[in-house]
Amino acid sequence: MRSPRAFFRPLAVGAPAPATDVPFRPSRMIHFFDPSNEKMAAKVPDIAAKVDILLGNLEDAVKTEKKEAARQGLVDIAKANAGLFGHGGDTQLWTRVNSLDSPWVLDDLITLVTEIGHQLDVIMVPKVEGPQDIHYVDRLLAQLEARAGLDRPILVHAILETAEGVANVEQIAAASPRMQGISLGPADLAASRRMKTTRVGGGHPGYLVRQDPTGEDLTEGRTTYQQDLWHYTIARMVDACAMNDILPFYGPFGDIKDVVACEDQFRNAFLLGCVGAWSLHPVQIDIAKKVFSPSPEDVAHAKRVVEAMGDGSGAVMIDGKMEDDASCKQCIVMLDLARELAASDPELAAAYDL
């Protein structure tokens, strides 16, 4: 690890200075698309207007024979839609490169930073297992940024999808000033942990608690409650991100048709502290936008508490509930998010009345 004095020094001569803060922009959904798919590419301008983050996926879900086409497709899309991304663009452009043990990742990074680095906000790195993975990408990006003459650093987002990555999540979050955030990757993580589920995110009917017996018949009147397989991991990821001032995200929810369970899973993540989730299909965009935007009712309540608390000390009673300095801090978190979202969303601005 670098010393604190060296942490914010560029890692290559001529590279831009590392970011000292993660710039907050609305990040309620990271919408994935395959740049090798011509139909998807044609829809980019329309989709970009609806999402906070558009991510060109080069890794999983892109067939081996289409890896190079996907990479070039992302370059072409970014250049053809230059006004949408980068400096002055309303939508963030991200990419998920291939894993660090693949034969494609080096060409991914060299090509993308060289060709469209000024438009890329974040590079998502899959299957990160420790700070060493981030250090490798960190140095390489600095060299490529210097060669491309970029004036701002490209940030890095790690996917938590192996048992080793979860064990090292705190060190991953603190590995570099490039760290923008971390996403939960439940499918690969389930395989890594040898979990006995084939679902991509969400709960499982077999993972449950059962009420105690009500009589001698052990099967009668015993209601069961499905549990969340991912609660521990999300909470640990959120803590690691919060302590390092970076942003936590829920990953994919694979059952596209089950919009009800998708909304539930996204809301669990939101309540635990995540700022957004992945959307794999357009139907999930509005779900993420709804869930990761505070409700007008919650914002109105937060306003009342903060106004009643004055300097934030002491305690007050509002609607029969005690509100003190701790609840005031909770409300300030809610109001800060509402203001940031309202700044770029006229509908939310009107609903929040801030």
Side-chain angles (χ1 to χ4, degrees), residues 212-228:
D212 287 344
T214 57
E216 293 186 3
D217 186 342
L218 298 182
T219 63
E220 183 179 355
R222 302 186 68 180
T223 304
T224 61
Y225 302 88
Q226 186 169 316
Q227 302 293 290
D228 186 355

Side-chain angles (χ1 to χ4, degrees), residues 297-310 316-320 323 331 335:
E297 294 77 16
D298 285 343
V299 173
H301 174 74
K303 287 169 62 178
R304 289 182 64 198
V305 172
V306 171
E307 290 168 358
M309 285 294 297
V316 297
M317 295 295 293
I318 297 179
D319 298 332
E323 307 284 358
C331 291
L335 288 175

Side-chain angles (χ1 to χ4, degrees), residues 96-232:
R96 177 170 71 168
V97 295
N98 286 283
S99 60
L100 298 182
D101 61 353
S102 78
W104 304 288
V105 64
L106 187 59
D107 285 335
D108 290 344
L109 293 171
I110 292 172
T111 300
L112 296 178
V113 176
T114 303
E115 296 285 338
I116 57 169
H118 61 291
Q119 292 174 272
L120 279 176
D121 292 283
V122 174
I123 289 177
M124 182 181 281
V125 182
K127 301 176 180 64
V128 173
E129 298 199 315
Q132 69 278 2
D133 293 338
I134 302 300
H135 296 161
Y136 168 76
V137 175
D138 195 4
R139 177 79 70 172
L140 181 55
L141 286 178
Q143 294 168 336
L144 294 171
E145 289 165 349
R147 189 168 77 174
L150 302 188
D151 58 5
R152 63 178 174 88
I154 299 170
L155 301 184
V156 168
H157 185 99
I159 313 179
L160 203 60
E161 47 191 340
T162 68
E164 186 174 350
V166 175
N168 294 322
V169 65
E170 292 83 6
Q171 293 92 334
I172 291 169
S176 166
R178 286 187 192 275
M179 285 300 297
Q180 181 272 346
I182 301 176
S183 283
L184 172 69
D188 277 293
L189 180 54
S192 174
R193 285 174 166 169
R194 302 188 184 95
M195 294 168 65
K196 307 309 183 286
T197 175
T198 57
R199 298 183 174 204
V200 178
H204 192 289
Y207 190 70
L208 53 83
V209 293
R210 188 185 304 270
Q211 284 185 334
D212 287 344
T214 57
E216 293 186 3
D217 186 342
L218 298 182
T219 63
E220 183 179 355
R222 302 186 68 180
T223 304
T224 61
Y225 302 88
Q226 186 169 316
Q227 302 293 290
D228 186 355
L229 289 164
W230 308 109
H231 180 86
Y232 158 77

Side-chain angles (χ1 to χ4, degrees), residues 24-156:
F24 182 90
R25 296 172 65 183
S27 304
R28 293 163 292 184
M29 78 295 296
I30 307 171
H31 187 69
F32 278 58
F33 78 100
D34 177 356
S36 71
N37 186 313
E38 294 182 1
K39 290 183 179 179
M40 288 187 181
K43 295 178 181 178
V44 161
D46 291 335
I47 293 293
K50 300 175 183 177
V51 302
D52 296 333
I53 299 166
L54 188 65
L55 182 145
N57 185 24
L58 307 185
E59 197 219 9
D60 291 350
V62 177
K63 293 183 177 181
T64 299
E65 62 269 23
K66 290 192 173 182
K67 293 291 187 181
E68 293 184 6
R71 182 192 306 135
Q72 187 58 47
L74 182 57
V75 171
D76 295 340
I77 288 167
K79 290 181 176 180
N81 298 277
L84 297 177
F85 312 116
H87 296 294
D90 293 329
T91 304
Q92 299 178 56
L93 180 63
W94 292 22
T95 185
R96 177 170 71 168
V97 295
N98 286 283
S99 60
L100 298 182
D101 61 353
S102 78
W104 304 288
V105 64
L106 187 59
D107 285 335
D108 290 344
L109 293 171
I110 292 172
T111 300
L112 296 178
V113 176
T114 303
E115 296 285 338
I116 57 169
H118 61 291
Q119 292 174 272
L120 279 176
D121 292 283
V122 174
I123 289 177
M124 182 181 281
V125 182
K127 301 176 180 64
V128 173
E129 298 199 315
Q132 69 278 2
D133 293 338
I134 302 300
H135 296 161
Y136 168 76
V137 175
D138 195 4
R139 177 79 70 172
L140 181 55
L141 286 178
Q143 294 168 336
L144 294 171
E145 289 165 349
R147 189 168 77 174
L150 302 188
D151 58 5
R152 63 178 174 88
I154 299 170
L155 301 184
V156 168

